[in-house]
């Protein structure tokens, strides 16, 4: 009888133990489910390989492209000027693109990118402009050669400088994007470094020597799909982009005088002149003048005579230095200081108007003042300027017309989450801008936040269009737009801007946000594994106790 009661007691103990075991296993399942949810609901988690980035086919259209798993679905939602949203699915693969057409010049179009219906981009959302009717700003750079850690440091500095000091309409790359053209991981690295810039700026590529095979370039950049040489127009500017990266290694059809590329270039430049283009620019990878001042046979026989005959304004090419030379009215720039190792040789005395082996980019500006090219180093210092018209107006007036970005930091170094981005519109007078600088420095010190301010002039067409959309009159300037808050006039700015900044969410670095999500997911996973191991230890101990009868009442 005692044996029966003991067996019944043991059975009840085992039943209770198994019940607890089932509850613990159920708890473990919940924890693991939470871990999986954290991992897989994060849009940054290994779904988006790179992008979104912008391409432009026609003047009034933009392609938003990205590279992601072919099993996923993506779409782009754009806020139109009338306040409605237009959503377009991405089509194709490697990359996939969404096309937005019939866009209005000088209008900013904010957009969100979705993968499997999950938003990818943090606010404030990026925006693109299809084209401008008045002033045009192009960044020209090359030889980034992404893939070498030391190259990436300089490349990243240049991208940071571009974003800090200018808002270009387009980025023109003279080639040698990465070290080995068919390595997908290096392309990922390039787009990771440039992602913030390329989400708001259209990229026009030229094929370089290290970008071979060129088929990869045609995959990544839709503007190259029809032909590896192409052209585009922006206002009175016409830009022809060639595929000449090493003429003695390329087939005759690409570099020969009667081949399709040079035949196309002759017709393209002639048509541009007939259509009224005021400035003709040509982009290619191979420099017309090497560091010794020598020309290739193709340059001497075919390219230079054609440039002079058609009245080309300037030619931009890549190599690991900066140089400028003028021959028969044509300006030749070599500007391949985008990050790769710099040229160690020095040119013979008197070859170039200017030469420097320096990491840099060119800022090509065209507007009411004419056209000019500025050479800017990776710290933002302008070290050379060429005026193509010899009629540049005062620097103060030029600065007031351009959209520029400035940071105003408090004396103490704030955390990254204390950076707030917003726009300020002003009438264009330099004295007004100086007064704004003083006020914003004061507010940064008072709030303890770093203010990342985009100055937008009401003189420019894009500034006027934005003011109309916001319902701001020129008599109410200056005005600040902080998220949904519009503050206009000096009195309102001084009194209301600090409160608006406190209410606005901080601008977080996207990569830091991704890292935080990954660390959080990793932490939850580790905690779940520890909990799972603890449960197993407890269960094994209970099994041993049950088997030996230890701890069971008799």
């Amino acid at each position: 009888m005692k044996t029966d009661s003991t067996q019944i007691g043991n059975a009840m103990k085992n039943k209770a133990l198994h019940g607890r075991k089932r509850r613990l296993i159920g708890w473990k399942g919940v924890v693991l489910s939470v871990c999986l949810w954290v991992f897989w609901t994060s849009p940054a988690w290994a779904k988006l390989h790179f992008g979104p980035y912008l391409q432009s086919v026609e003047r009034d259209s933009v392609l938003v492209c990205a590279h992601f798993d072919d099993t996923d679905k993506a779409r782009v939602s754009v806020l139109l000027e009338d306040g409605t949203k237009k959503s377009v699915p991405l089509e194709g693969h490697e990359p996939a693109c969404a096309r937005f057409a019939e866009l209005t010049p000088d209008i900013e179009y904010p957009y969100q990118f979705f993968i499997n219906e999950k938003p990818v981009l943090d606010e404030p959302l990026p925006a693109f402009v299809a084209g401008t009717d008045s002033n045009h700003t192009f960044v020209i750079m090359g030889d980034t050669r992404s893939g070498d850690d030391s190259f990436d440091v300089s490349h990243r500095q240049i991208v940071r400088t571009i974003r800090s000091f200018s808002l270009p309409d387009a980025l023109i790359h003279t080639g040698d994007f990465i070290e080995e053209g068919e390595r997908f991981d290096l392309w990922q690295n390039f787009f990771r470094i440039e992602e913030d810039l390329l989400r708001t700026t259209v990229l026009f590529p030229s094929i370089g020597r290290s970008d071979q095979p060129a088929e990869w370039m045609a995959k990544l950049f839709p503007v190259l799909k029809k032909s590896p040489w192409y052209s585009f127009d922006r206002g009175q500017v016409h830009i022809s982009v060639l595929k000449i990266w090493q003429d003695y290694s390329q087939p005759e059809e690409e570099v020969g005088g009667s081949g399709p590329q040079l035949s196309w270039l002759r017709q393209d430049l002639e048509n541009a002149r007939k259509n009224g283009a005021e400035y003709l620019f040509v982009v290619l990878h191979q420099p017309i003048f090497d560091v010794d001042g020598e020309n290739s046979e193709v340059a001497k026989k075919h390219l230079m005579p054609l440039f002079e005959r058609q009245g080309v304004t300037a030619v931009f090419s890549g190599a690991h230095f900066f140089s400028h030379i003028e021959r028969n009215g044509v300006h030749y720039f070599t500007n391949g200081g985008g990050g790769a190792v710099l040229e160690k040789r020095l040119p013979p005395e008197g070859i170039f108007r200017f030469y420097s082996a320096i990491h840099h980019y060119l800022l090509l500006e065209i507007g009411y003042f004419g056209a000019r090219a500025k050479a800017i180093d990776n710290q933002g210092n302008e070290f050379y300027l060429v005026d193509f018209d010899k009629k540049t107006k005062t620097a103060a007036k030029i600065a007031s017309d351009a959209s520029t970005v400035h940071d105003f930091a408090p004396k103490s170094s704030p955390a990254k989450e204390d950076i707030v981005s917003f726009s300020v519109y002003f009438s264009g007078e330099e004295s007004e801008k100086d007064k704004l600088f003083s006020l914003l420095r004061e507010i940064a010190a008072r709030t303890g936040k770093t203010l990342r301010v985009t100055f937008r002039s009401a003189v420019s067409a894009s500034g006027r269009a934005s003011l109309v959309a916001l319902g701001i009159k020129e008599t109410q300037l200056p005005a600040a737009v902080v998220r949904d808050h519009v503050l206009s006039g000096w009195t309102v700015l001084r009194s209301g801007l600090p409160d608006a900044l406190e209410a606005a969410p901080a601008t977080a670095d996207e990569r830091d946000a991704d890292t935080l999500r990954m660390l959080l997911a990793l932490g939850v996973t580790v905690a779940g594994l520890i909990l799972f191991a603890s449960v197993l230890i407890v269960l094994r101990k209970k099994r041993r106790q049950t088997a030996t009868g230890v701890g069971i009442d008799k």
Side-chain angles (χ1 to χ4, degrees), residues 300-320:
K300 282 190 292 190
K301 288 184 177 181
H302 306 299
L303 294 178
M304 294 176 68
L306 175 58
F307 297 155
E308 294 165 13
R309 189 165 56 249
Q310 293 295 342
V312 168
T313 308
V315 179
F316 304 97
S317 57
H320 303 185

Side-chain angles (χ1 to χ4, degrees), residues 19 60 64 228 238 276 316 318 423 431:
D60 64 345
V64 182
H238 181 83
F316 304 97
S423 292
S431 59

Side-chain angles (χ1 to χ4, degrees), residues 38 70 190 267 275 288 296 332 342 411 450:
V38 171
D70 57 3
F190 170 83
Q267 191 63 53
N275 292 333
I288 301 298
S296 70
Y332 297 93
L342 297 170
K411 291 182 179 179
T450 291

Side-chain angles (χ1 to χ4, degrees), residues 21 30 38-39 71 85 98 165 190 205 229 239 328 360 384 418 428 444 476 529 535:
K21 179 179 177 182
V30 171
V38 171
F39 269 78
T71 55
K85 291 182 179 179
F165 292 97
F190 170 83
W229 46 84
I239 299 179
N328 298 324
H360 70 284
Y384 191 68
D418 287 332
Q476 297 174 306
L529 292 174
V535 170

Side-chain angles (χ1 to χ4, degrees), residues 134-135 236 366-370 391 393-394 396-401 459:
S134 51
N135 298 342
Q236 70 270 44
I366 298 97
Y368 71 92
F369 49 81
K391 60 182 181 183
K393 299 187 180 179
T394 63
K397 179 60 179 175
I398 293 166
S400 69
D401 253 9
V459 175

Side-chain angles (χ1 to χ4, degrees), residues 157-177:
Q157 286 177 331
I158 288 176
V159 172
R160 188 182 301 120
T161 299
I162 293 170
R163 294 187 65 235
S164 298
F165 292 97
S166 61
L167 291 172
D169 300 307
L171 170 63
I172 301 170
H173 200 294
T174 59
D176 278 8
F177 285 76

Side-chain angles (χ1 to χ4, degrees), residues 59-136:
R59 186 174 175 273
D60 64 345
S61 70
V62 168
L63 293 175
V64 182
C65 302
H67 199 300
F68 50 90
D69 292 339
D70 57 3
T71 55
D72 294 325
K73 302 291 184 182
R75 65 180 176 90
V76 177
S77 177
V78 169
L79 180 63
L80 302 177
E81 57 263 47
D82 61 0
T84 61
K85 291 182 179 179
K86 181 178 182 180
S87 185
V88 176
L90 273 74
E91 298 179 352
H93 190 56
E94 298 182 347
C97 299
R99 182 172 181 265
F100 294 88
E102 299 180 358
L103 302 174
T104 305
D106 296 306
I107 295 294
E108 285 191 339
Y109 293 92
Y111 69 94
Q112 178 60 279
F113 184 86
F114 297 86
I115 292 185
N116 299 333
E117 294 307 314
K118 297 182 179 68
V120 171
L121 305 176
D122 293 331
E123 294 193 4
L125 294 176
F128 57 77
V129 176
T132 58
D133 279 335
S134 51
N135 298 342
H136 309 275

